[in-house]
Structures are given as C-alpha cells and as structure tokens.
Amino acid sequence: MREGGVRPSTIDSQPGRRVLAVVAEEFATSAPQILSARRDRGIILARQALCYILREKLNWTLGEIGHFVNRDHTTVLHAVRRARFWLHHDHYFTRCLVRAAARVEVP
C-alpha cells in the first residue's frame, strides 16, 4: 500500500482509464472534463457515474477512487450515494450508467 491506503496498481490503472473513457462516451463528455473541477450538471453526473462504477463493479476503495479522480474520499462517498439516488430518479442517468457498466469488463 502507498500513502493514503492506495494500492500502487490503482494509480493510472488501465481499468480505471477504460472506465473513464466509457463513461465519458456514454455521457457525451470528455475524460478531462470529468476529472476537472467543473460543476456543470452533465459533468457532475458523469463523475458520479464513474465513481459508482469504480466502487461497485471494480471494488475500488474510496481512497483509490479519490486519488484517481483527484477528490477527497468523502467527496467520492457522496458521489456514490448520489449515483444510487439518481439510479432511481433520473432515466437519462440510469440509461447512461447501465450502458457504461455493461461495457466495463472486470479484470
């Protein structure tokens, strides 16, 4: 483990970059925008979907996800919780997230 409880294999990992690319495509945005500090609704939804998939499908820790997206682990926790909420309340979000998650292969 590295500083902050992050596994070295997670940093700049191929699976993480692949999920980022898939989420960016499904949400019609770009990877740099998802990782940026921008707070446009579409970008926030894509970022929340990214955090959700990394957590639920790839079993990354909150710290690992936070390091990958350059956010604090509590911000990641909030993003995952919001993604769970949007799954039940926003058809666009649900459609994009389900399609993105289906395209992600678990290593």
Side-chain angles (χ1 to χ4, degrees):
M1 289 259 180
R2 258 168 80 157
E3 181 181 326
V6 177
R7 289 179 285 210
S9 61
T10 303
I11 310 308
D12 296 326
S13 74
Q14 187 68 16
R17 287 194 306 266
R18 175 70 182 135
V19 174
L20 176 60
V22 167
V23 169
E25 186 177 321
E26 290 296 337
F27 281 84
T29 187
S30 69
Q33 285 183 326
I34 292 173
L35 298 178
S36 74
R38 292 188 61 176
R39 297 189 35 83
D40 302 37
R41 184 174 192 270
I43 294 170
I44 290 173
L45 291 176
R47 191 178 304 130
Q48 290 171 347
L50 172 66
C51 292
Y52 179 85
I53 293 171
L54 292 174
R55 179 75 171 157
E56 298 296 326
K57 193 145 184 184
L58 297 180
N59 295 313
W60 283 18
T61 66
L62 297 174
E64 290 168 341
I65 299 167
H67 193 275
F68 185 74
V69 297
N70 198 28
R71 303 290 189 283
D72 185 77
H73 77 279
T74 57
T75 303
V76 173
L77 177 61
H78 178 73
V80 171
R81 288 177 175 167
R82 292 302 294 173
R84 287 184 186 132
F85 172 83
W86 290 125
L87 274 172
H88 299 288
H89 294 91
D90 187 302
H91 297 294
Y92 169 77
F93 180 84
T94 301
R95 184 176 63 246
C96 291
L97 186 136
V98 168
R99 284 195 319 224
R103 292 176 53 192
V104 172
E105 298 177 16
V106 178

